[in-house]
């Protein structure tokens, strides 16, 4: 490849990426417009001004824990006619993972959790990415330095490490001893004159602020005693999570903070910060810890909880979201198939429990099946599934489909879906080897019919002669015809063996859907064609 064509390719790729991004922004805007219009018609209850945020750090790809936080914020906002905001907390620059942000946007888009405000749709409280808000944190840290609630700390990393090790040796939580809180002005001037780097710490109030959590009730955590004064601004000029989080929640007028239980112990620090600024804090609601069925903590290290994997495995977004609510929080009946509209209307923060929420992966297929069935009940839903099934088959089987059989037209795909909806968990299951007969003629070159019975050609000829004139190819009409075709059988031959031969001839499978059902799906022409092919094959 020449340099010119290489640079052209790169430029093309860049343009493609930009176009993709622009399309995503456009889709977001359309959804935003839709939800704004929706809200205009639904804010008569006086429950306006609910503003919540999902504030992930792009330190990894979106996983089920993150999706749960996004979902609960989304449904809480929508149930109150409120605003759902996406804020990117990327202040820990050392932990950023390439691609994490794009993954987050595309997974939120896939799951339909479109933010009303955020990096893509924009909004009047932007920018919504913390690394673009450094000027705001600098401005606000000055306020705290000036009112005496923050101070510069010149402790070296070696000293902090020694402190940490000492605490661990004594079996204690590592604690900063607040040394620099007490530096005299002269000490500070000397350190500054030496050009020593510093962080800015918060003077934690010795009187601990209790939190009246909307889920956990009254909680107390004496962070000052346990951890010492926390860092607000790091030496690299970036704020810490605690500081940026509080400043942004205030500036973005967040009314409720819904987030994972692991942040519960941070609230006392946050409340002290609100107090130091003289700001009204939002209300906090912490969501219970997500657990695996075996009682272990759900962890992204397991690798199998990334949202993208569920998408790639063919689960539907509404099923995955619904499944997350099965973990037992926020609803009267937690094991119900619910659409997004129903999740919104049935959700109640009062019903979020404090006991750990178990995600039982074994239930996911059933939830997906429930959504498939529901969609098949409406013509709009059918159209969507038909389109998705066609795409899935093309993706999974590519050139291996024998499209001349039925050209995957809508009627054929509808028939397949209606016939197998109770037997599959995902559309993708229909492309597994057990269902290959739906898309390709079986290859019978190595099939040994004689292992089933010596009467295979009799069975095939008899079925062909009885079926050829049949016009209505439904399970109901076919079952009695099949019975009739095999009433008088040669000595030793049984009806189930006849069915087995027909099943193998049509699908290459010894086990599978009932023969009449297979015939109904394939249709008269294709069934007879396959039986004749098998017979030719036998007679060769
Ligand atoms: N950036 C934090 C996270 O990734 C947000 C915690 C919060 O919602 O306050 O979990």
């Amino acid at each position: 490849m020449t340099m010119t064509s290489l640079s052209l390719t790169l430029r093309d790729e860049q343009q493609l990426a930009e176009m993709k991004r622009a399309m995503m922004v456009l889709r977001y805007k359309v959804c935003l417009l839709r939800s704004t219009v929706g809200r205009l018609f639904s804010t008569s209850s006086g429950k306006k001004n609910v503003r919540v945020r999902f504030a992930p750090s792009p330190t990894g790809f979106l996983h089920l824990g993150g999706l749960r936080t996004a979902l609960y914020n989304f449904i809480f906002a929508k149930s109150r006619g409120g605003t759902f905001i996406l804020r990117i907390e990327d202040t820990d620059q050392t932990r950023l993972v390439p691609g994490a942000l794009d993954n987050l946007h595309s997974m939120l888009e896939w799951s339909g959790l479109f933010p009303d405000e955020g990096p893509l749709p924009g909004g009047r409280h932007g920018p919504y990415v913390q690394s673009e808000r450094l000027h705001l944190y600098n401005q606000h840290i000055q306020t705290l330095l000036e009112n005496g609630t923050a101070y510069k700390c010149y402790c070296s990393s070696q000293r902090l490490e020694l402190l940490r090790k000492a605490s661990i040796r004594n079996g204690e939580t590592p604690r900063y001893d607040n040394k620099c809180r007490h530096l005299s002005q002269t000490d500070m001037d000397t350190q500054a004159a030496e050009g020593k780097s510093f962080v800015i710490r918060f003077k934690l109030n010795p009187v601990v602020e209790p939190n009246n959590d909307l889920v956990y009730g009254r909680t107390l955590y004496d962070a000052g005693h346990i951890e010492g004064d926390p860092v607000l601004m790091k030496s690299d000029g970036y704020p810490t999570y605690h500081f940026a989080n509080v400043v942004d929640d205030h500036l973005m007028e967040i009314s409720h903070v819904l987030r994972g239980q692991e942040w519960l112990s941070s609230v006392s620090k946050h409340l002290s910060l609100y107090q130091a600024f003289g700001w009204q804090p939002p209300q906090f609601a912490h969501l219970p810890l997500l657990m695996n069925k075996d009682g272990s903590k759900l962890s992204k290290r397991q690798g199998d909880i990334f949202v993208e994997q569920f998408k790639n495995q063919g689960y539907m977004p509404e099923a995955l979201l619904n499944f997350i609510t099965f973990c037992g929080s926020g609803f009267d009946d937690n094991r119900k198939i619910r659409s997004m509209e129903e999740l919104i209307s049935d959700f109640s923060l009062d019903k979020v429990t404090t006991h750990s929420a178990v995600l039982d992966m074994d239930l996911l297929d059933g939830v997906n099946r429930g959504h498939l069935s529901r969609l098949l009940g409406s013509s709009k839903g059918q159209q969507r599934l038909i389109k998705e099934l066609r795409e899935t088959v093309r993706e999974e089987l590519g050139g291996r489909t024998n499209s001349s059989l039925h050209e995957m037209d809508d009627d054929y795909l509808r028939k397949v879906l209606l016939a197998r909806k109770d037997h599959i968990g995902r559309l993708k299951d229909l492309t597994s080897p057990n269902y290959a007969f739906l898309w390709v003629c079986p290859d019978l070159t190595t099939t040994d019919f004689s292992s089933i019975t010596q009467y295979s050609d009799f069975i095939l000829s008899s079925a062909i002669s009885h079926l050829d004139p049949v016009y209505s190819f439904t399970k109901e009409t076919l079952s009695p015809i099949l019975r009739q075709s095999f009433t008088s059988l040669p000595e030793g031959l049984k009806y189930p063996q006849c069915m087995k031969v027909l099943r193998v001839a049509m699908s290459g499978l010894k086990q599978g859907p009932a023969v009449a059902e297979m015939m109904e799906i394939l249709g008269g022409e294709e069934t007879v064609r396959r039986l004749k092919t098998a017979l030719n094959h036998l007679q060769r």
Side-chain angles (χ1 to χ4, degrees):
M1 194 185 283
T2 66
M3 280 310 283
T4 344
S5 68
L6 178 67
S7 64
L8 257 182
T9 316
L10 284 175
R11 201 167 333 125
D12 287 350
E13 269 176 21
Q14 271 168 1
Q15 278 177 352
L16 203 68
E18 270 166 33
M19 263 166 59
K20 269 194 190 160
R21 210 174 156 77
M23 288 295 291
M24 208 190 301
V25 173
L26 199 71
R27 287 196 296 267
Y28 265 74
K29 298 243 166 178
V30 170
C31 287
L32 182 59
L33 196 70
R34 260 197 239 134
S35 81
T36 312
V37 173
R39 271 208 313 282
L40 282 178
F41 292 101
S42 68
T43 46
S44 53
S45 58
K47 291 174 184 165
K48 281 180 280 182
N49 299 332
V50 162
R51 289 177 59 82
V52 294
R53 84 306 190 272
F54 171 45
S57 301
T59 52
F61 284 22
L62 186 66
H63 57 85
L64 289 186
L67 190 67
R68 195 255 319 238
T69 308
L71 171 68
Y72 277 60
N73 275 285
F74 182 87
I75 54 183
F76 180 68
K78 300 298 153 184
S79 66
R80 305 271 190 118
T83 305
F84 170 59
I85 297 152
L86 172 67
R87 181 174 76 224
I88 305 300
E89 300 204 329
D90 60 347
T91 56
D92 190 348
Q93 294 280 306
T94 59
R95 291 182 57 226
L96 301 185
V97 166
L101 196 55
D102 281 345
N103 174 266
L104 175 81
H105 285 309
S106 58
M107 288 306 104
L108 285 182
E109 191 196 7
W110 174 73
S111 32
L113 303 178
F114 295 99
D116 301 305
E117 293 174 25
L120 293 184
R124 65 191 170 89
H125 293 280
Y128 292 89
V129 178
Q130 288 188 328
S131 57
E132 295 166 19
R133 298 172 63 83
L134 299 185
H135 58 289
L136 293 168
Y137 311 125
N138 281 323
Q139 203 179 307
H140 283 86
I141 202 69
Q142 287 312 319
T143 309
L144 297 188
L145 284 170
E146 278 160 25
N147 74 15
T149 52
Y151 62 92
K152 290 182 182 169
C153 164
Y154 292 93
C155 287
S156 64
S157 47
Q158 289 89 327
R159 176 171 193 274
L160 296 175
E161 188 54 22
L162 283 176
L163 275 181
R164 205 180 69 84
K165 282 190 176 147
S167 307
I168 291 174
R169 249 199 321 274
N170 299 333
E172 292 161 5
T173 309
R175 179 180 186 280
Y176 176 59
D177 59 1
N178 299 352
K179 175 175 179 253
C180 293
R181 207 194 239 233
H182 312 289
L183 285 186
S184 65
Q185 191 56 48
T186 333
D187 284 340
M188 280 201 279
D189 292 345
T190 318
Q191 311 266 24
E194 283 174 11
K196 269 195 159 178
S197 76
F198 61 87
V199 299
I200 298 175
R201 288 188 186 264
F202 182 54
K203 274 187 200 162
L204 267 182
N205 198 330
V207 183
V208 186
E209 280 289 304
N211 166 33
N212 283 317
D213 195 87
L214 294 175
V215 173
Y216 282 79
R218 193 181 147 89
T219 61
L220 263 186
Y221 178 76
D222 188 352
H225 193 203
I226 304 170
E227 300 169 24
D229 288 343
V231 175
L232 299 181
M233 290 294 275
K234 296 177 279 186
S235 53
D236 63 2
Y238 277 84
T240 55
Y241 154 73
H242 300 295
F243 186 53
N245 191 271
V246 165
V247 168
D248 286 348
D249 280 350
H250 173 73
L251 295 181
M252 293 181 180
E253 297 175 34
I254 298 302
S255 63
H256 297 76
V257 169
L258 272 66
R259 62 184 170 196
Q261 185 253 17
E262 65 273 25
W263 299 104
L264 194 55
S265 59
S266 299
V267 180
S268 66
K269 272 175 237 164
H270 296 181
L271 289 176
S272 304
L273 272 167
Y274 282 101
Q275 209 177 42
F277 279 115
W279 294 338
Q280 180 69 27
Q283 285 194 279
F284 292 94
H286 287 81
L287 306 170
L289 202 66
L290 281 181
M291 310 274 275
N292 297 308
K293 209 165 124 188
D294 65 4
S296 62
K297 194 177 154 217
L298 194 80
S299 152
K300 41 189 162 172
R301 254 152 284 179
Q302 279 167 245
D304 54 359
I305 58 161
F306 292 105
V307 178
E308 193 165 23
Q309 268 165 312
F310 293 97
K311 173 181 179 267
N312 293 342
Q313 284 164 11
Y315 291 102
M316 294 193 293
E318 56 266 64
L320 188 63
L321 294 172
N322 190 178
F323 162 72
I324 287 178
T325 67
F326 271 41
C327 65
S329 258
F331 299 87
D332 260 338
D333 171 1
N334 295 308
R335 298 259 164 124
K336 214 169 134 183
I337 299 295
R338 286 184 171 95
S339 64
M340 181 50 89
E341 287 72 28
E342 290 161 332
L343 287 179
I344 293 170
S345 60
D346 296 357
F347 176 71
S348 164
L349 201 53
D350 303 341
K351 297 194 179 112
V352 175
T353 52
T354 55
H355 56 75
S356 344
V358 175
L359 270 185
D360 181 355
M361 295 295 172
D362 295 342
L363 300 176
L364 181 55
D365 272 10
V367 181
N368 204 70
R369 185 180 306 121
H371 280 269
L372 281 175
S373 282
R374 262 197 170 193
L375 283 172
L376 281 170
S378 74
S379 64
K380 199 168 151 217
Q382 281 185 8
Q383 278 314 316
R384 172 180 153 193
L385 293 180
I386 286 170
K387 187 167 164 263
E388 285 180 14
L389 179 57
R390 185 177 289 121
E391 280 162 13
T392 307
V393 174
R394 288 207 176 115
E395 252 166 50
E396 295 295 308
L397 300 172
R400 285 182 294 130
T401 55
N402 190 342
S403 63
S404 67
L405 291 180
H406 31 65
E407 301 187 335
M408 291 211 286
D409 60 38
D410 285 9
D411 285 342
Y412 180 71
L413 296 177
R414 185 179 297 108
K415 212 158 45 160
V416 169
L417 285 166
L418 290 172
R420 299 316 292 168
K421 68 177 181 354
D422 297 329
H423 304 267
I424 54 166
R426 302 159 296 164
L427 290 184
K428 222 177 198 165
D429 293 343
L430 290 170
T431 60
S432 69
N434 279 351
Y435 284 109
F437 74 92
L438 295 170
W439 323 110
V440 279
C441 269
D443 174 11
L444 301 176
T445 41
T446 56
T447 308
D448 177 15
F449 281 99
S450 65
S451 69
I452 309 172
T453 163
Q454 51 172 315
Y455 297 112
S456 293
D457 39 1
F458 158 77
I459 296 168
L460 290 168
S461 320
S462 171
I464 292 165
S465 61
H466 281 86
L467 291 171
D468 224 354
V470 175
Y471 178 70
S472 158
F473 246 67
T474 66
K475 256 188 321 202
E476 292 70 27
T477 49
L478 290 167
S479 297
I481 293 172
L482 287 171
R483 283 259 160 225
Q484 253 168 40
S485 324
F486 303 108
T487 35
S488 49
L489 297 176
E491 181 79 21
L493 179 62
K494 298 268 177 315
Y495 184 74
Q497 284 169 296
C498 303
M499 293 305 106
K500 203 170 213 172
V501 169
L502 296 182
R503 183 181 290 111
V504 171
M506 284 187 293
S507 64
L509 300 173
K510 291 217 166 113
Q511 266 148 12
V515 167
E517 190 174 319
M518 246 183 199
M519 290 177 168
E520 173 174 354
I521 299 176
L522 291 174
E525 210 176 299
E526 180 62 20
T527 299
V528 173
R529 194 164 78 96
R530 288 193 186 186
L531 298 183
K532 285 182 177 166
T533 311
L535 187 60
N536 280 342
H537 180 76
L538 253 182
Q539 289 168 346
R540 222 175 289 144

